[in-house]
Amino acid sequence: MTDIVELPAVRDAVKQGGERGVAAGDGRQPLRAAVVKAAELARDAERRARDKQHAKHKKTARERLDLLFDTGSFEEIGRFQGGDINAGNAGAAVICGFGLVYGRKVAVYAQDFSVKGGTLGTAEGEKICHLMDMAIALKVPIVAIVDSGGARIQEGVAALTQYGRIFRKTCEASGYVPQISLILGPCAGGAVYCPALTDLIIMTRENSDMFVTGPDVVKAATGETISMADLGGGEVHNRRSGVAHYLGADESDAIDYARTVLAYLPSNCGEKPPVYAYAATRAERETAKRLARIVPDNDRQPYDMLDVIRCIVDYGEFVQVHELFAASALVGFACIEGRPVGIVANQPNVNAGILDVDSSEKIARFVRLCDAFNLPVVTLVDTPGYKPGAEQEHAGIIRRGAKVIYAYANAQVPLVTVVLRKAFGGAYIVMGSKAIGADMNFAWPSSQIAVLGAAGAVNIIHRHDLAKAKASGRDVEALRAKYIADYEETTVNANLSLELGQIDAMIDPEQTREAIVASLGTLASKRRVRPNDKHHGNQPL
């Protein structure tokens, strides 16, 4: 919809100072003075916004919407709601409306920091809740562009009440339509829980901050002096806390990431993800052959799982989620033969791909996201197990590690798992095993599947034999090596899993993509079932 300022008749009238009436003979309706006044207010408001925001190296709310939506597709609702045109007040500190992202409708609310610091009061809350009601009714994704000073202090509890309403609406929409939060300015106090309830949070390196209590409050309460960036900047929440899922180089990069993610997701939980054209080429076969050379024969030698993923997915394109957080695991979106999927993988390049408290939560949340919005999950396994030690136990590895179990065990989308090299102990079970609910499971010929690695198992099983050998003066290391070789031959390889039906087939590395494609084709008609009448489970949180 064309902006009111850009309507030809309005633009002409504004240029002439609002005094021009349009004669009936020219085929156009006469303009009321109130319309011209409103257009002037809108024009002046955007000019002031540019002056304020550009001085801070930030874009205006409307400039951000131009980047988010397909050209000319934004349709605003309630532009002057909360304003007073006669008194020269253009409206509330939030812009709401709908537009197209790659041709599909998306709802958005964008806070305008140039109006009362983007603070939220009754008018802003009413606009946002109305937009969310419409988005839920229309079954379309919701994008929140956050740049706000928080609750409007002058309105007191009335402002806080609006946050409560938005929290409830966000929870209502959760798992029903995709929700993405772009943090492009400050987000403090209770306001942080609006984005925290959404599916993905995107921040930028500069000007992007989230914290429950700001630096001044922290200093007053604890005596600690800390900057906004160090307390809750984009780097902190992407690398350390895991609150954010992507760190944009700037606003344009952050918004482009939001557009990209929306391209992989359906508009709502009742739809399948979009399908894209894909044509196989000779290069695809050459890429598949590379898989045999990526994973080292030495099971202790690291490699980059990203190289494996790029050999499996269409055009090597993999959109990571939580790229900077819990790097021993990888999660993200890709396409296989034009159909979006979620990829979950261990990263042997970081701590051998071990599962810890952070990577467990990272995997669990992503699997839940994929399951909510009908994306099949492809799991690539190479992990020695859960990270041992008092630090992890005290950090809650039992509770937080159980989240992976809950996510996979409850997922009803197609689940395809490939064991590349190592899958030991509880980590083997939770990483999309057949026992926990995966539909199709494969293993490479060199894969090792067991309760423990050979060396650890031998040290436990043969500890008395090794102690006796040492006491009698025999070569303990030679005996240990013999026991390890025997254990690897009889127990650690994937044969037992094949015989038990826990692995459907042993495949060569270059067959990996082919096996995944065939499995996803077989599972394409998989549908959700409701096994009982329970309201919901009690997920470990």
Side-chain angles (χ1 to χ4, degrees):
M1 182 178 72
T2 304
D3 189 271
I4 186 172
V5 178
E6 299 302 321
L7 291 170
V10 175
R11 186 173 60 241
D12 293 344
V14 170
K15 285 180 180 178
Q16 297 180 31
E19 299 298 329
R20 172 177 173 265
V22 182
D26 69 0
R28 291 185 291 175
Q29 296 180 14
L31 285 174
R32 291 171 49 226
V35 174
V36 177
K37 176 66 173 176
E40 289 176 333
L41 279 176
R43 179 198 60 190
D44 293 343
E46 183 61 13
R47 186 185 65 249
R48 288 193 301 272
R50 284 195 297 269
D51 292 342
K52 291 181 179 180
Q53 294 290 87
H54 291 182
K56 302 172 186 174
H57 306 290
K58 295 164 65 178
K59 298 184 184 299
T60 71
R62 294 186 185 279
E63 289 171 338
R64 292 163 176 168
L65 295 177
D66 287 341
L67 290 173
L68 177 66
F69 291 124
D70 299 347
T71 303
S73 67
F74 179 58
E75 184 174 1
E76 188 169 356
I77 60 174
R79 172 150 194 175
F80 297 100
Q81 182 179 343
D84 186 338
I85 294 173
N86 291 331
N89 181 357
V94 67
I95 300 167
C96 296
F98 297 85
L100 302 180
V101 174
Y102 296 116
R104 293 190 298 148
K105 189 177 292 295
V106 172
V108 68
Y109 67 87
Q111 293 174 320
D112 188 347
F113 198 82
S114 70
V115 179
K116 299 178 182 178
T119 53
L120 184 131
T122 301
E124 289 77 13
E126 293 289 345
K127 285 185 70 171
I128 292 171
C129 289
H130 176 62
L131 176 88
M132 296 183 76
D133 281 336
M134 290 185 68
I136 292 169
L138 295 172
K139 301 181 181 180
V140 298
I142 301 169
V143 174
I145 300 179
V146 180
D147 188 0
S148 170
R152 190 168 297 150
I153 297 173
Q154 297 89 328
E155 296 193 25
V157 174
L160 293 177
T161 299
Q162 296 304 321
Y163 275 120
R165 295 183 62 212
I166 296 170
F167 294 162
R168 189 176 178 88
K169 294 291 180 188
T170 306
C171 292
E172 182 183 343
S174 180
Y176 187 68
V177 296
Q179 298 182 90
I180 297 176
S181 297
L182 281 153
I183 313 300
L184 303 182
C187 181
V192 299
Y193 294 109
C194 293
L197 292 167
T198 61
D199 298 307
L200 293 172
I201 295 175
I202 302 167
M203 299 181 74
T204 58
R205 293 186 186 279
E206 304 291 338
N207 300 319
S208 185
D209 301 292
M210 294 180 72
F211 36 69
V212 175
T213 54
D216 293 340
V217 177
V218 169
K219 185 173 183 179
T222 69
E224 179 184 6
T225 300
I226 190 169
S227 68
M228 290 177 65
D230 290 338
L231 180 63
E235 287 276 354
V236 168
H237 285 312
N238 274 272
R239 294 186 185 276
R240 296 182 61 184
S241 72
V243 166
H245 301 82
Y246 182 74
L247 181 64
D250 52 29
E251 291 189 14
S252 298
D253 181 36
I255 293 170
D256 182 66
Y257 182 81
R259 283 177 56 88
T260 300
V261 167
L262 288 170
Y264 287 93
L265 295 171
S267 293
N268 58 72
C269 66
E271 295 182 3
K272 292 291 184 181
V275 178
Y276 301 100
Y278 177 77
T281 64
R282 182 183 302 175
E284 180 185 291
R285 291 190 292 273
E286 295 302 317
T287 300
K289 292 178 182 177
R290 283 187 52 220
L291 283 171
R293 303 190 298 271
I294 292 174
V295 180
D297 293 332
N298 182 350
D299 63 6
R300 291 182 176 272
Q301 185 175 339
Y303 64 93
D304 193 346
M305 184 64 81
L306 286 171
D307 291 337
V308 174
I309 294 171
R310 291 176 184 130
C311 288
I312 293 172
V313 302
D314 294 357
Y315 310 118
E317 294 180 359
F318 178 51
V319 179
Q320 284 202 64
V321 174
H322 260 149
E323 179 178 0
L324 303 178
F325 178 69
S328 64
L330 300 171
V331 300
F333 302 104
C335 283
I336 294 182
E337 292 211 330
R339 297 182 180 276
V341 299
I343 303 286
V344 175
N346 306 112
Q347 174 55 294
N349 243 2
V350 179
N351 296 329
I354 206 163
L355 288 178
D356 58 14
V357 291
D358 289 336
S359 60
S360 294
E361 291 189 332
K362 173 177 175 175
I363 291 171
R365 182 74 194 280
F366 184 74
V367 171
R368 294 289 279 177
L369 172 64
C370 292
D371 187 50
F373 295 112
N374 304 313
L375 265 72
V377 177
V378 175
T379 306
L380 305 175
V381 184
D382 188 348
T383 178
Y386 279 101
K387 186 177 182 180
E391 177 190 2
Q392 287 292 300
E393 296 294 347
H394 297 168
I397 189 65
I398 296 172
R399 168 177 55 84
R400 296 162 74 179
K403 296 179 184 183
V404 185
I405 299 173
Y406 197 93
Y408 272 106
N410 283 277
Q412 296 197 19
V413 292
L415 301 175
V416 181
T417 301
V418 183
V419 179
L420 276 59
R421 193 168 61 171
K422 296 190 297 293
F424 294 152
Y428 156 66
I429 294 296
V430 306
M431 287 293 294
S433 69
K434 180 83 75 171
I436 209 168
D439 300 294
M440 302 292 285
N441 291 64
F442 303 96
W444 287 6
S446 59
S447 61
Q448 302 176 358
I449 303 173
V451 175
L452 277 176
V458 164
N459 287 338
I460 294 173
I461 297 171
H462 296 287
R463 62 183 181 277
H464 295 305
D465 297 328
L466 293 171
K468 289 178 182 177
K470 183 178 181 180
S472 62
R474 295 170 59 191
D475 188 341
V476 175
E477 292 308 314
L479 183 61
R480 192 194 313 274
K482 177 183 178 300
Y483 285 144
I484 288 174
D486 291 343
Y487 188 85
E488 287 178 343
E489 182 179 348
T490 60
T491 307
V492 174
N493 62 57
N495 287 345
L496 180 60
S497 297
L498 273 168
E499 293 162 3
L500 291 173
Q502 296 303 302
I503 297 294
D504 293 299
M506 194 82 75
I507 59 173
D508 290 329
E510 55 264 37
Q511 295 176 301
T512 304
R513 177 181 164 92
E514 179 184 339
I516 293 171
V517 168
S519 297
L520 293 177
T522 300
L523 299 168
S525 60
K526 184 179 180 182
R527 295 291 181 267
R528 299 181 184 278
V529 296
R530 187 170 182 175
N532 53 51
D533 294 330
K534 68 181 179 182
H535 181 50
H536 60 68
N538 187 13
Q539 179 180 356
L541 296 171

